[in-house]
Amino acid sequence: MTQTSQQTDARARRWRSLAMGGICLATAGLPFGARAAEADGSATAITVIGHPDPEGLLPTQTEPKSVSAIATAFIEKQAPTLNAFQLVNLLPGANVSSSDPYGLSATSSLTLRGLGQDEIGVLMEGAPQNDIGYYVAYPAQFADAENVQQVVLSQGAVDIDSPVVNGAGGLLSLHLDDPHRTFGVTIDGSLGSYNERRVFARVDSGEIGNTGLRAFVSYSNNRADNWRGAGYDLRQHVDAKIEKEWGDGNRASLAFSYNEAKTSTYPSPALADWQAYGRSYNYDSGYTGGDTAYWRFYRSPFRNEYVSAPVHLVLSDRLTLDSTLYLQFGYGNSPYGTQLTTTGNTLGTETLTQPIALPGAVDGTATVLGNFTGQQFRGGDVARLTYAAGAHTLSGGLWFDYGSDHDVESFTAVDGNGNPLDEWGHTAQAIHTADGRLLAALDERTTTVIKGFFLADRIALTPRLTLEAGFKGVDVLHNGINYLPGPQSGVHFDSFAALPRAALHYQIDKRSQLFADVTTNFRAPDEYTLYNTYYRGAPSGQGTSALRNEYSISGEIGYRYVGPNLSGTIAAFHYNFRNRQLATIANVDGALINTTLNAGHQTSYGLDGEIDWRPIEGLSFYASGEYLHARLGDDLPVAGDLLPTAGKHAVSSPDWQFGLGGTYDDKRLFGSFALKYVDRQYSTFMNDESIAGYATLDLSVGVHLAGLIDRNRTDVRLNVINLTNPHVLSGVQQITTNALDTVGRGGTTIAGSAPTYYIGSGRAFVVTLARQF
């Protein structure tokens, strides 16, 4: 079929709105770290007497690895619209590229120590949130901020039990609030810039009769105009949780989350587009015949449900069992505008001899909605046994995960005003061939089966020194069907990763700790690397099962201090990658095609640090920083030649990042600020294009009204997002091998292609009234 560059550009964004993550409870996590110590009660207690941290940005940690966190005290002072990526922006190593001040759009990114979000595992209450096919997570679909108790960011070592297959870049874990023990109602209302309107309501049951059960359910509704260009976003969300505790530490929970949204995709400019149009680089606000850039064509609807059922059982004074079952269901569409003709179409490699019916066609051509739809199911379980025997705490467990993903690129008619017949992209409403088959540029179904096991031992060598050693084995199996006519039908990929690890923790005294760890991680090739793609009846991308697992060995050594008024951590880290996998765009016969490249070896090392100072009660200052040295180790194979990339900077890996935050809370007035600076970022393997460093600043001020109206907690706060409103590119949306034509090692000229970027969001004001009853 005939296709325009609009379709090719949309291909680069196809899965940003199709998150099929899950929600369940953190009790399933295998304790490779401080949690192992808790199993036998041997963890060294740290008691801090001084000014408590009102900021919630440096909770006390005892794990033998780099780990940062934000807690309720920080989260509740931020704009309630912010998603989890935006909330962790101040933490060491976190580089958040957000195109939307309210965190609603899927056009955003998180990198950690220079590693992209498809290499960062994301858990919500212990269950994987990453897309089963492409490994990206979508924070706009996570739980409402009011229900999040803590967000933990592990910059390097991933917990041994974590159910992720893309943890080379670290781990982001969200922990939900427990149902309250007494009945209560919480209501929030927010108004803000760009017609932002949000309501949130939560009801806690308290203990239900004498059953020991308690529960909460919440609902939120959020609407905001696009801050740039035409369009608006809608989001409805439900969180619910019921739990019971009994005996000496037994606990069972059932959690449910539902998300339904229609959010806008912001166009990502090339550097030339940014220089020419700046923030005016947007989709069209009105529709005229033949226009494929109308904003309604780039508005993504999606719907997701998550269920989890974690159980923690104390079988004896030495033995515990943890098991978490999770289920996920999701459907969504990431559409774009394009044109079709009644004749000259293809289906895979088959040329259609009969014309297709195109409503609204003029001279045989019609503007249509191109759909990228995904329907996913995912279910799994993580189970472990923990046994304490003298100086040893032994843990072992199994992980099983089954996923089904059906992806279709179809086309839907639009009316004369540019309104799609069906924005959800259901196949029943899509355009069909003359003989009744679905007209599709992509139609594939993949089944993914993951099986893993893990063993760990925590050994108390002395009362202050502990050694942890563990091994994890993970097998990833992809089986798929390509339904399009052509040379490819079934696809298959099977790989196994062996992941040993070790860590040391030394408690110098009640305030100081030393830690060190060596960890292995991997990233299995995503399912889309397996399939052929077709353009105008010919293969435009060759599917392969020859890609190897990306494998990394990382090490850290650090010092942690927890004092009465001052706390901090500093850590040195080093990574060595084999088969570094990077998603990029390749130029194939003039068509830009999404592909994954094996970039060979990469070495990264650097320093992370964070410090929190509490000079007086109610006042806190926080600072973080990172130095990163990330270099490619090999020349890159491109178009039958080698691109001279050895020694070049790794893409999206700023050398320097700094964060500075502060909070004041005197029980009546409160406020906070968050300043973040990100250094220059390269967007090509050849380092022939980059974006400049930039800084953002967020502020909040508020008043606690409890005692003035009644004794119920009542807060009013004003949040200012991106106060200084810099006009900047905030990150790399799509990397390329080289932006300029480059002569390869073999003497051929390798054509360049332009990277694309996120445009940093504009300034926004949000006023929130929150009240508890």
Side-chain angles (χ1 to χ4, degrees), residues 132-208:
I132 186 64
Y134 200 48
Y135 304 144
V136 176
Y138 306 85
Q141 299 181 4
F142 298 166
D144 283 320
E146 292 91 341
N147 297 325
V148 176
Q149 184 180 75
Q150 190 178 62
V151 184
V152 179
L153 190 66
S154 300
Q155 290 91 343
V158 173
D159 292 338
I160 197 171
D161 70 317
S162 297
V164 297
V165 292
N166 62 318
L171 185 70
L172 179 76
S173 301
L174 288 86
H175 304 280
L176 294 183
D177 190 22
D178 290 332
H180 299 167
R181 297 185 179 276
T182 58
F183 175 81
V185 177
T186 301
I187 297 177
D188 293 1
S190 300
L191 296 173
S193 306
Y194 316 113
N195 291 317
E196 159 68 15
R197 301 190 296 273
R198 181 181 185 270
V199 294
F200 169 88
R202 166 172 162 163
V203 178
D204 283 86
S205 68
E207 186 169 347
I208 303 173

Side-chain angles (χ1 to χ4, degrees), residues 162-383:
S162 297
V164 297
V165 292
N166 62 318
L171 185 70
L172 179 76
S173 301
L174 288 86
H175 304 280
L176 294 183
D177 190 22
D178 290 332
H180 299 167
R181 297 185 179 276
T182 58
F183 175 81
V185 177
T186 301
I187 297 177
D188 293 1
S190 300
L191 296 173
S193 306
Y194 316 113
N195 291 317
E196 159 68 15
R197 301 190 296 273
R198 181 181 185 270
V199 294
F200 169 88
R202 166 172 162 163
V203 178
D204 283 86
S205 68
E207 186 169 347
I208 303 173
N210 295 319
T211 63
L213 294 170
R214 61 184 191 273
F216 81 77
V217 61
S218 71
Y219 169 80
S220 69
N221 187 300
N222 197 0
R223 183 203 183 281
D225 291 343
N226 291 357
W227 75 272
R228 69 176 230 261
Y232 61 95
D233 295 330
L234 293 172
R235 178 183 185 266
Q236 294 188 90
H237 192 90
V238 175
D239 291 321
K241 183 176 177 180
I242 184 170
E243 70 177 19
K244 178 180 174 64
E245 297 174 325
W246 72 95
D248 185 15
N250 297 293
R251 174 186 173 113
S253 301
L254 178 66
F256 170 80
S257 189
Y258 171 82
N259 190 80
E260 181 175 325
K262 296 178 181 179
T263 58
S264 300
T265 300
Y266 291 94
S268 300
L271 190 58
D273 297 322
W274 170 249
Q275 292 168 346
Y277 302 104
R279 288 180 171 181
S280 299
Y281 186 78
N282 298 311
Y283 295 121
D284 298 334
S285 59
Y287 178 74
T288 57
D291 183 8
T292 60
Y294 182 43
W295 70 269
R296 288 188 182 275
F297 298 157
Y298 300 88
R299 192 158 178 259
S300 302
F302 49 88
R303 183 182 295 118
N304 311 89
E305 301 91 23
Y306 319 103
V307 180
S308 64
V311 176
H312 175 74
L313 299 177
V314 179
L315 303 179
S316 72
D317 58 350
R318 293 179 177 270
L319 184 64
T320 61
L321 170 67
D322 292 274
S323 176
T324 297
L325 173 71
Y326 56 88
L327 300 172
Q328 310 164 13
F329 307 87
Y331 178 86
N333 186 18
S334 182
Y336 61 96
T338 189
Q339 288 188 326
L340 291 178
T341 57
T342 55
T343 60
N345 295 290
T346 59
L347 191 63
T349 57
E350 177 186 340
T351 299
L352 301 179
T353 58
Q354 297 296 318
I356 60 174
L358 286 179
V362 177
D363 297 328
T365 301
T367 300
V368 298
L369 184 74
N371 307 299
F372 280 108
T373 62
Q375 184 166 4
Q376 293 192 359
F377 164 79
R378 190 174 189 181
D381 184 81
V382 179

Side-chain angles (χ1 to χ4, degrees), residues 617-640:
E617 183 176 2
L619 180 64
S620 176
F621 294 99
Y622 172 88
S624 68
E626 178 179 87
Y627 168 70
L628 174 66
H629 179 98
R631 299 293 186 270
L632 300 177
D634 296 320
D635 291 337
L636 188 68
V638 177

Side-chain angles (χ1 to χ4, degrees), residues 495-508:
S495 69
F496 178 82
L499 306 170
R501 59 185 61 206
L504 280 171
H505 180 269
Y506 181 66
Q507 191 73 43
I508 301 173

